[in-house]
Amino acid sequence: MAINVNTVYTTVLTILNKEQRGYLTPFEFNNIANQVQLEVFEKFFEDYNQYIRMPKTDVEFASRMDHIREEFQVFEETGFSITIPAGGVQTSNTYNQPSNLHRFGTAFYNKAPGAPEIAIMSKRDYKEQTLSPLLQPSLNFPIATYQKDQITVYPTLSSFSIEDVEFNYIRKPSLARWGYYAGSLGQFIYDPTVFAENSLNNGGSLLSSISPNLSATAPTLALAEYDSSSTGVTIVSAGGGTGLKIKMAITLGSGITTLFVSNPGTGYSVGDTITFASATFGGTANAVCTLAAGDFNSGSTYGSTNFEISDSMQTEVILEILRYTGIIIRDPQIIQAASQQLNEEEANSKR
Amino acid sequence: MGLIKETNAQYYAGEQVQVGNGTATNTIIWPSSMTPLIWDSAATNITSIDNFKVYVDNVEQTKAVLPANGYSLASTTTAGAVTQTIVLTSAVNIPSTSVISVRLIQKSIWDNYGSYSYTSLVDIVNNFIVAYVGMDKIIPRAKRSDVVFHAKRGLQEFSYDTLKSVNSQELTVPPSLSLPIPQDYVNYVQLSRVDASGVKHIIYPTTLTSNPTQPLIQDASGQPTQGSFGNNLESLQSITDARWAKNNNFDITGQLTSSQINNFASVDNFDWWKMAYGQRYGLEPEVSQKNGWFTINEREGKFSFSSGLANNLIILEYISDGLAYDMDTKIPKMAEEALYMHIAYSILSTKSNVQEYIVQRFKKDRRAQLRNAKIRLSNIKLEEFTQVMRGKSKWIKH
């Protein structure tokens, strides 16, 4: 299970704030969090390699090999090759690796009976191998060269499809993100909504995107929820967005004074409009809210992403973040304490 | 899960049957468990590549490239699963009372019979990688190409002396007295003449003559002559070969003709050769046989036979290396373990940093398993052995 980003941030702040040592802003935390996550993630593979060369046990829960495998299985994926640009047609025996591939595992040749594993080799090895009559590539024993993020598979057949080659690989972890919005006192309030680049900010105000607003003559209207089926509300979405719900209130003399997203729905994009008809809500002209980049997660601080590495690494993640934080706030004591703790854990795990 | 995927009916009949769907276009899915269908897509007529035919009510259909009437084969492989579909288009609708059958040709059916006693090279390689290569095993890492190489080399070596991979051709010796060496020939096992009763008589190679590889054309002083490019000129026909072809075998074997017997085999005949008197001195048992001889003419790549064998039926038994054709790459299950041990030993002995005692252990294992395979494949059955020994007047207690 993933590590909750809010738990980590609050724990770090708690430890850090003891004796008023310092403070870590969400922006700094997010940057450090990603650095730490990547460090821990990369260490999986080094540790795995080290464990392979150490004495092993099959006793349940005691196998370091199984444990580390369990840590990175979350990132293991199987996917077809891709065309560049996306949506193109595969026209040769050179296949692009999946775009999110981080560490190459194996590739399988789906065009051959039983989808055998493709032997990946350098161009030099390929040349040498094909000079041997016994080792010519065949459907049962396909081979491939790997260059420029592409594999060229032999034997070459007459037709091609991106589904010919299936990759088994490790992808990179998603960026951890402590999403927030500013409270009434300027404080950072955690937004637990799962971050999605094209998702509208859940609870985010759309007031600044209204132009024009309803005129001052529009009567006061209490806060209520509206969607595309509501009378007087028209939502136009170029991408066919659905499910958006908004809460809106009108104050006589000021037009719409409260407008925020209560359900972000899906499929909306910058430039989509929400129109409030003056015939329904009063005033002389319709109010139009045109969605701007800042109304979406990608253009704001809304939306959170948890650490993808498993919660068994929580302590290590917190200690690593503390170590970096010590550098930021220039406190050698924190660096030392965190480093010492980390070294102890490391020594224990490799013993 | 059992290893046999074909149903009994599919195995024995080698065909897939379904009734017509009432339209002119019928699609038959060929079961993946059966021998895969092969066809020559470039040819509109059945060729030697095709291994199946399509019948409607036992009437053979014509092969055609769609949309013309006839049948065609489409093979698709999705995620490693092969689907073969035969589309039969007919000028008239095929009613549900008609039976459409896709039938393997007889040779394919015969090939399939007894196929359970073999395993494929692909399976051998895959099994080996699963069972012998990996973490905590003696071979922690081996490239697939290394395994394939040693498997194929092993198959070649085993083909020469262990496996039952003797091919045999039935041929008639033409008046030219020579036959081309088979395409996948590695060495001969035996050549035999077949008599009128179908009984084989061994034809031996002879050292009495040989086939020169360079029958040079000489000038009057004995120097080889050269052509316009400076190369030695050679005669198309070797004089030695020509003379051997004209030779009367009886001059060598010492066999008497009926006229010789009638005219000279009389006790009253006192001619100097004294044919009917006592022993026939000077006969060489090696050549005193009437089955004929053969030589291998390396220059022409042919077997050459002695003159007495013209127009005779012969059987040529030879070994190949098991890799000539894809279908050859099958290994008797009785030699499967021997091949695993061969691959393991070959990899370990060529790998660096492997202790010598491990290499030696696998060397012994390989030798033991190879011996086992040879014994098994020699097909010695106790009862048959006993029967042979009875013929030798041995006292068998059993």
Side-chain angles (χ1 to χ4, degrees):
Chain A
M1 215 175 80
I3 307 170
N4 186 294
V5 70
N6 192 39
T7 309
V8 174
Y9 187 42
T10 50
T11 310
V12 167
L13 286 182
T14 307
I15 297 170
L16 214 54
N17 271 331
K18 189 172 183 317
E19 298 168 5
Q20 299 296 309
R21 282 178 189 277
Y23 182 73
L24 190 66
T25 65
F27 176 75
E28 288 167 339
F29 171 80
N30 285 344
N31 284 339
I32 294 174
N34 286 317
Q35 169 68 18
V36 166
Q37 180 167 239
L38 277 179
E39 269 180 30
V40 173
F41 173 71
E42 290 297 342
K43 206 153 105 10
F44 287 154
F45 305 103
E46 295 309 317
D47 287 350
Y48 192 45
N49 182 285
Q50 229 172 328
Y51 292 152
I52 283 172
R53 290 178 277 122
M54 289 164 72
K56 298 167 206 64
T57 176
D58 258 355
V59 177
E60 197 180 16
F61 308 126
S63 167
R64 285 171 177 159
M65 290 267 305
D66 292 350
H67 178 227
I68 205 85
R69 190 88 181 71
E70 193 185 311
E71 297 291 345
F72 66 76
Q73 50 80 26
V74 179
F75 306 100
E76 194 171 343
E77 282 191 8
T78 304
F80 297 122
S81 58
I82 57 164
T83 51
I84 300 174
V89 179
Q90 180 72 35
T91 54
S92 72
N93 60 333
T94 299
Y95 300 86
N96 296 302
Q97 67 183 27
S99 53
N100 60 345
L101 184 145
H102 178 60
R103 276 178 188 260
F104 189 104
T106 15
F108 303 99
Y109 200 32
N110 278 341
K111 288 198 96 162
E117 183 185 332
I118 302 170
I120 307 289
M121 56 189 65
S122 68
K123 196 81 179 172
R124 177 171 176 261
D125 287 347
Y126 165 75
K127 281 281 178 198
E128 283 177 356
Q129 179 164 330
T130 48
L131 288 175
S132 162
L134 289 183
L135 294 176
Q136 295 301 306
S138 66
L139 276 180
N140 288 320
F141 303 117
I143 62 178
T145 55
Y146 188 29
Q147 288 177 321
K148 297 178 184 173
D149 292 344
Q150 295 174 317
I151 65 167
T152 305
V153 185
Y154 303 94
T156 309
L157 301 176
S158 54
S159 61
F160 311 98
S161 150
I162 55 167
E163 294 182 3
D164 293 347
V165 177
E166 201 168 19
F167 293 82
N168 194 52
Y169 62 96
I170 298 284
R171 66 167 172 81
K172 247 185 172 173
S174 313
L175 296 178
R177 175 181 161 116
W178 191 82
Y180 64 96
Y181 54 93
S184 55
L185 301 173
Q187 81 278 28
F188 300 125
I189 298 172
Y190 175 59
D191 175 19
T193 316
V194 176
F195 172 83
E197 276 195 14
N198 300 319
S199 176
L200 280 162
N201 299 333
N202 191 16
S205 172
L206 298 174
L207 265 185
S208 59
S209 301
I210 298 177
S211 179
N213 202 336
L214 292 172
S215 60
T217 54
T220 298
L221 190 67
L223 189 68
E225 192 171 66
Y226 301 90
D227 60 20
S228 58
S229 63
S230 305
T231 310
V233 176
T234 310
I235 301 176
V236 178
S237 169
T242 54
L244 173 63
K245 287 184 179 174
I246 43 182
K247 283 194 173 175
M248 191 259 290
I250 302 170
T251 308
L252 179 63
S254 304
I256 297 172
T257 48
T258 307
L259 179 67
F260 64 89
V261 176
S262 57
N263 186 335
T266 54
Y268 296 96
S269 56
V270 175
D272 289 353
T273 56
I274 308 162
T275 306
F276 300 94
S278 58
T280 309
F281 297 102
T284 53
N286 294 344
V288 180
C289 171
T290 306
L291 297 178
D295 297 325
F296 291 86
N297 282 186
S298 54
S300 68
T301 59
Y302 279 82
S304 295
T305 308
N306 287 332
F307 289 90
E308 281 199 282
I309 49 181
S310 85
D311 53 8
S312 64
M313 307 303 291
Q314 184 167 321
T315 315
E316 193 174 340
V317 167
I318 290 171
L319 286 171
E320 286 277 10
I321 292 175
L322 275 173
R323 188 160 62 168
Y324 277 108
T325 310
I327 295 169
I328 289 174
I329 63 170
R330 296 185 183 183
D331 189 336
Q333 269 190 316
I334 290 184
I335 301 173
Q336 272 177 10
S339 298
Q340 194 178 339
Q341 188 75 26
L342 280 166
N343 289 341
E344 276 174 23
E345 278 190 19
E346 176 81 6
N348 188 38
S349 67
K350 301 279 167 61
R351 206 161 47 195
Chain B
M1 197 169 71
L3 294 178
I4 291 181
K5 302 284 182 277
E6 278 178 304
T7 63
N8 295 156
Q10 287 169 342
Y11 175 77
Y12 290 110
E15 69 176 348
Q16 174 72 358
V17 176
Q18 73 179 46
V19 294
N21 62 6
T23 70
T25 305
N26 285 261
T27 304
I28 304 108
I29 307 283
W30 184 251
S32 58
S33 54
M34 295 179 72
T35 304
L37 300 180
I38 306 168
W39 94 323
D40 187 352
S41 58
T44 49
N45 294 316
I46 290 173
T47 68
S48 60
I49 295 173
D50 294 20
N51 73 342
F52 72 100
K53 290 178 181 176
V54 178
Y55 299 84
V56 175
D57 292 334
N58 278 326
V59 176
E60 188 181 327
Q61 302 297 296
T62 54
K63 179 180 166 183
V65 179
L66 289 175
N69 289 334
Y71 64 85
S72 66
L73 173 69
S75 293
T76 54
T77 309
T78 310
V82 183
T83 308
Q84 292 196 298
T85 311
I86 302 102
V87 178
L88 173 65
T89 51
S90 168
V92 293
N93 293 344
I94 301 176
S96 58
T97 50
S98 290
V99 175
I100 305 167
S101 61
V102 179
R103 206 174 294 164
L104 288 171
I105 60 169
Q106 196 60 54
K107 191 171 181 308
S108 275
I109 294 175
W110 286 341
D111 283 344
N112 192 34
Y113 289 162
S115 58
Y116 190 69
S117 56
Y118 294 92
T119 189
S120 70
L121 192 72
V122 178
D123 288 346
I124 291 276
V125 171
N126 290 338
N127 288 345
F128 183 85
I129 288 174
V130 168
Y132 292 87
V133 181
M135 200 169 48
D136 295 339
K137 291 174 182 162
I138 297 266
I139 306 170
R141 187 167 183 269
K143 285 201 291 187
R144 198 175 174 80
S145 52
D146 287 350
V147 178
V148 172
F149 175 80
H150 291 302
K152 286 188 174 177
R153 280 293 300 123
L155 181 56
Q156 281 182 315
E157 290 297 323
F158 288 9
S159 295
Y160 304 146
D161 58 7
T162 308
L163 307 181
K164 297 185 296 179
S165 53
V166 174
N167 300 310
S168 58
Q169 292 185 344
E170 186 185 80
L171 302 156
T172 301
V173 179
S176 65
L177 296 173
S178 59
L179 288 167
I181 289 173
Q183 205 171 357
D184 56 345
Y185 169 91
V186 170
N187 202 350
Y188 70 87
V189 175
Q190 193 179 73
L191 278 85
S192 328
R193 177 179 65 83
V194 180
D195 68 16
S197 308
V199 176
K200 290 198 304 182
H201 302 269
I202 299 175
I203 307 171
Y204 292 99
T206 183
T207 52
L208 292 172
T209 188
S210 66
N211 306 96
T213 55
Q214 293 180 33
L216 298 175
I217 296 174
Q218 297 163 285
D219 60 17
S221 62
Q223 292 291 323
T225 54
Q226 282 79 36
S228 53
F229 298 109
N231 56 317
N232 284 341
L233 293 175
E234 291 180 8
S235 162
L236 201 60
Q237 170 77 53
S238 148
I239 297 168
T240 313
D241 294 352
R243 287 182 182 173
W244 176 252
K246 280 198 300 187
N247 167 55
N248 181 358
N249 284 356
F250 293 169
D251 294 343
I252 299 169
T253 60
Q255 184 182 345
L256 301 179
T257 61
S258 50
S259 105
Q260 285 171 320
I261 291 169
N262 294 336
N263 296 328
F264 307 116
S266 160
V267 290
D268 300 326
N269 189 312
F270 294 101
D271 285 341
W272 63 270
W273 47 81
K274 299 184 172 93
M275 295 189 66
Y277 277 19
Q279 299 298 310
R280 299 179 62 202
Y281 297 105
L283 270 185
E284 276 289 344
E286 185 189 350
V287 295
S288 303
Q289 46 92 16
K290 57 186 287 185
N291 297 326
W293 299 280
F294 74 90
T295 54
I296 296 176
N297 187 337
E298 298 289 354
R299 186 168 73 105
E300 296 179 13
K302 289 176 177 173
F303 284 103
S304 292
F305 297 90
S306 51
S307 56
L309 284 166
N311 301 317
N312 269 267
L313 188 66
I314 64 153
I315 291 177
L316 163 59
E317 291 167 73
Y318 67 97
I319 48 170
S320 185
D321 65 356
L323 297 177
Y325 303 104
D326 277 350
M327 67 174 116
D328 277 0
T329 52
K330 55 186 189 180
I331 299 99
K333 285 181 176 168
M334 288 181 172
E336 192 176 340
E337 190 62 25
L339 196 52
Y340 291 143
M341 286 298 119
H342 169 85
I343 301 169
Y345 166 67
S346 301
I347 288 175
L348 286 168
S349 64
T350 52
K351 208 174 169 65
S352 60
N353 298 326
V354 178
Q355 294 94 329
E356 189 55 27
Y357 76 93
I358 290 179
V359 176
Q360 290 305 319
R361 197 176 88 199
F362 274 83
K363 190 175 186 178
K364 277 183 194 165
D365 278 352
R366 176 189 182 273
R367 193 188 301 140
Q369 289 300 336
L370 187 60
R371 194 184 304 124
N372 272 356
K374 281 183 182 174
I375 293 168
R376 289 168 179 173
L377 293 168
S378 314
N379 216 15
I380 298 169
K381 304 282 189 283
L382 188 59
E383 289 76 13
E384 293 168 18
F385 190 72
T386 311
Q387 189 68 4
V388 172
M389 284 306 176
R390 283 197 185 103
K392 304 285 180 196
S393 301
K394 302 286 180 195
W395 193 333
I396 307 296
K397 293 180 181 177
H398 58 92

